[in-house]
Amino acid sequence: MNDKELLIPATQAELPGPNPQTRRGRIQMILLLLFCAAPVIASYLAYYVFKLEGGKTNFGTFVIPPQAVSSDWLGIPLTGKWTLLVVRPAAECRVGNDACVKTLYLMRQVRIALSKESSRLRLIWVVSDDKPVDPEIRRAYDQASAGMQIFNAPTSPALKAQWDQWLNRENAGQQIQLIDPRGDKMMWFPAEASPADFAAIRKDLDKLLRLNHSGESLR
């Protein structure tokens, strides 16, 4: 090596390359590392990037984008609390009609299961016909003991059209609607739920109440 070569800056010096045997060894090592890491990489992509349907952790179905509720429809603003809302005719929700009463029962029991957080969840039954509510049903699902409020659906043509469009979006009008404290429908749950489904609904609500206080009123 001559003097000129010794004076070449390190950034410009050409390092001798590895021999073929060393190169093959490095390639084999890289391939081995990729093979070992493949399951971890795949699980990361599935959970954080692709979010495969089979891997979802929520039971309820998200409404995307969330749909705002107008205070004109029921005469009150549905803000400040989380709200479970269901729509049923009074003629259907009577003693002896298990399907309807079981839905009201499910909503009440989910609220009770939230224990000390139950005051953060409001229950609403919107009566969709002009029949009177069965007195026994009203006593069992009143605001004082069950936390359930009963309202009539809007009757004016303009408001009714808006209400029906909001309610039946995604063909979920017969399901239980979840409204966040800002007044947006953001999820719905199946109204005909099994005991296992009950636990899943409670788990979804537990998670939402724990992670999201935005828009809630302390009163």
Side-chain angles (χ1 to χ4, degrees):
M1 184 175 290
N2 57 40
D3 292 340
K4 289 185 179 180
E5 290 175 331
L6 292 172
L7 296 176
I8 295 175
T11 54
Q12 298 177 20
E14 183 177 337
L15 298 176
N19 59 50
Q21 185 175 356
T22 302
R23 187 180 296 112
R24 283 196 300 272
R26 289 178 179 177
I27 293 174
Q28 290 173 354
M29 180 63 71
I30 291 171
L31 291 175
L32 179 61
L33 289 173
L34 288 174
F35 177 81
C36 294
V40 177
I41 295 171
S43 63
Y44 179 92
L45 291 174
Y47 189 79
Y48 290 101
V49 180
F50 300 127
K51 293 189 180 297
L52 300 177
E53 182 67 20
K56 73 173 186 177
T57 59
N58 56 288
F59 174 72
T61 300
F62 281 109
V63 176
I64 302 174
Q67 303 297 318
V69 181
S70 170
S71 59
D72 295 335
W73 297 338
L74 303 181
I76 62 163
L78 295 185
T79 55
K81 289 181 181 287
W82 291 90
T83 302
L84 284 180
L85 179 148
V86 72
V87 180
R88 292 290 186 276
E92 179 182 315
C93 269
R94 295 185 175 277
V95 175
N97 187 326
D98 288 347
C100 181
V101 178
K102 279 182 177 179
T103 298
L104 301 181
Y105 178 80
L106 170 68
M107 294 168 64
R108 185 184 71 181
Q109 296 308 111
V110 165
R111 184 175 184 272
I112 291 173
L114 293 176
S115 187
K116 65 181 181 180
E117 303 292 342
S118 62
S119 62
R120 296 172 61 193
L121 181 66
R122 167 174 48 203
L123 307 180
I124 289 183
W125 170 20
V126 179
V127 177
S128 57
D129 62 6
D130 58 359
K131 304 299 181 183
V133 175
D134 185 316
E136 289 189 61
I137 300 297
R138 188 181 288 276
R139 280 195 297 270
Y141 298 96
D142 64 354
Q143 186 172 358
S145 62
M148 183 168 290
Q149 297 172 266
I150 302 175
F151 296 95
N152 292 106
T155 55
S156 78
L159 292 180
K160 185 177 185 304
Q162 295 172 13
W163 165 257
D164 288 344
Q165 183 180 23
W166 175 88
L167 178 66
N168 295 306
R169 190 180 296 270
E170 300 182 351
N171 297 314
Q174 290 297 304
Q175 312 307 327
I176 299 171
Q177 319 286 324
L178 178 62
I179 300 164
D180 68 24
R182 292 168 295 188
D184 294 327
K185 176 171 65 172
M186 50 82 63
M187 183 179 280
W188 58 265
F189 300 106
E192 297 180 3
S194 68
D197 294 338
F198 164 81
I201 293 172
R202 186 187 64 183
K203 183 179 179 181
D204 276 3
L205 289 173
D206 277 337
K207 188 185 302 182
L208 288 168
L209 267 62
R210 184 174 67 253
L211 298 177
N212 191 341
H213 292 257
S214 177
E216 285 193 69
S217 170
L218 298 179
R219 296 191 302 272

